[in-house]
Amino acid sequence: MSELRPGQSVELLKELHILTRDGRLNQDSRRKLKQVYHLFNLIEPLLAELAAQGPGPVLADHGAGKSYLGFILYDLYFKALGRGHIYGVETRAELVERSRRLAQALGFERMSFLHASVAESADSGALPARIDLVTALHACDTATDDAIAFGLQKQARAMVLVPCCQAEVAACLRQDKALQLARTPLAELWRHPLHTRELGSQVTNVLRCLHLEASGYQVTVTELVGWEHSLKNELIIARYTGQRKHSAAQRLHAILRTFGLEKMLAARFGLEAAPAAIAGEDPAR
């Protein structure tokens, strides 16, 4: 079948419902396969960099669900590489067990699955102290922030994130709406409920990118085209460089202050330090 890549597991594609049970591709499954290859093409260069730098790569996939991403990455990259490991982290026990059975059936020995939340997994003995690559696709609400915190704790060399619904900032904006409308005309940006939701999501992702830059990562933001039909299509790719941008921390704090989010979110974004100290840093650094 010309659409499949050499050595690709037909059985896996059937289990993922990309191929029909008789091994055929219909129009819908051909579209799904194209989406799979698109996502793989985005992540493969990161894996190649990591493989060239050490014995890994070791990948943790948060909010793994049916471990769709993990299985495809293993089949197309890790299997031929002959080293490295993929850990799928998922809160639904039945999906974890399903993935374990499928990995065993396919002989994907370097795949493990953990029944835990993103936050719980950070201190789990089932995961190694260092993780090379962290992925979190469509992790809802604060789970993306938990994945970033996980990556920082595990000294991840790269992170690939696709944030999903985010309600926390929107709730805070609604709470202080009357005060903000009196204080600044910018509050018109979130006067209407729909705008509040969308702006809250936008602000959250901007804060996440600044947090990563302040933590020593080079950040690229683009669209995840074709992975699924979703309005939540923002892809954040972060590579660790070790160059912490003090200007990013300064701007992060300024945004929190402008939107009245300091009290609620400062600690999450690494700003436990006195705000005055952050604000006084050289913006050129």
Side-chain angles (χ1 to χ4, degrees):
M1 193 174 296
S2 61
E3 290 91 344
L4 303 188
R5 297 193 176 189
Q8 192 162 13
S9 169
V10 171
E11 284 305 309
L12 172 62
L13 295 179
K14 288 180 180 179
E15 289 292 334
L16 297 178
H17 304 294
I18 291 175
L19 290 180
T20 61
R21 284 300 170 188
D22 58 1
R24 296 178 182 274
L25 274 172
N26 56 33
Q27 184 174 354
D28 182 60
S29 58
R30 187 171 281 105
R31 177 181 54 81
K32 287 181 181 178
L33 188 62
K34 184 177 180 180
Q35 294 167 357
V36 167
Y37 289 156
H38 175 74
L39 182 59
F40 174 75
N41 288 338
L42 292 171
I43 296 179
E44 184 185 26
L46 293 174
L47 293 173
E49 288 177 22
L50 295 170
Q53 295 169 7
V58 177
L59 182 150
D61 181 29
H62 287 293
K66 295 179 181 179
S67 293
Y68 199 98
L69 173 63
F71 279 116
I72 291 295
L73 289 176
Y74 193 99
D75 191 40
L76 292 180
Y77 188 84
F78 283 76
K79 188 168 62 175
L81 185 65
R83 54 191 170 92
H85 202 103
I86 294 178
Y87 293 89
V89 181
E90 172 57 44
T91 58
R92 289 166 287 182
E94 67 277 10
L95 296 184
V96 172
E97 184 56 34
R98 177 187 181 277
S99 294
R100 286 171 178 164
R101 290 196 302 267
L102 180 56
Q104 184 176 18
L106 294 170
F108 289 5
E109 297 177 350
R110 287 171 286 110
M111 288 191 79
S112 303
F113 303 93
L114 179 64
H115 176 215
S117 68
V118 182
E120 291 168 343
S121 68
D123 298 315
S124 171
L127 295 178
R130 294 285 297 271
I131 297 288
D132 295 314
L133 176 60
V134 174
T135 59
L137 302 187
H138 298 112
C140 287
D141 207 12
T142 59
T144 297
D145 301 305
D146 292 337
I148 292 173
F150 174 94
L152 294 178
Q153 180 175 326
K154 296 292 188 179
Q155 301 176 21
R157 289 145 72 187
M159 301 189 212
V160 177
L161 311 165
V162 180
C164 194
C165 52
Q166 213 293 334
E168 189 179 34
V169 169
C172 185
L173 292 175
R174 282 194 296 269
Q175 186 178 30
D176 296 330
K177 187 183 300 183
L179 176 63
Q180 295 291 355
L181 280 168
R183 187 176 70 88
T184 171
L186 284 177
E188 289 292 337
L189 293 173
W190 66 93
R191 180 161 64 91
H192 299 287
L194 177 61
H195 294 161
T196 304
R197 186 185 68 195
E198 295 303 316
L199 181 66
S201 179
Q202 178 79 353
V203 169
T204 301
N205 289 338
V206 169
L207 292 172
R208 288 165 174 162
C209 292
L210 289 171
H211 182 35
L212 286 164
E213 289 178 339
S215 301
Y217 289 80
Q218 180 186 55
V219 176
T220 302
V221 181
T222 184
E223 289 183 327
L224 180 61
V225 178
W227 171 243
E228 66 178 23
H229 295 294
S230 174
L231 294 176
K232 304 302 180 182
N233 205 33
E234 183 172 334
L235 173 67
I236 300 171
I237 300 176
R239 291 181 173 87
Y240 186 72
T241 64
Q243 298 178 349
R244 297 174 179 265
K245 293 182 66 175
H246 296 289
S247 59
Q250 189 176 26
R251 291 165 186 166
L252 172 55
H253 180 260
I255 291 174
L256 291 173
R257 185 173 59 246
T258 298
F259 287 95
L261 301 171
E262 289 174 292
K263 184 177 180 180
M264 185 176 75
L265 294 181
R268 173 173 302 168
F269 291 108
L271 298 181
E272 296 93 341
I278 297 170
E281 289 178 344
D282 182 0
R285 294 182 63 188

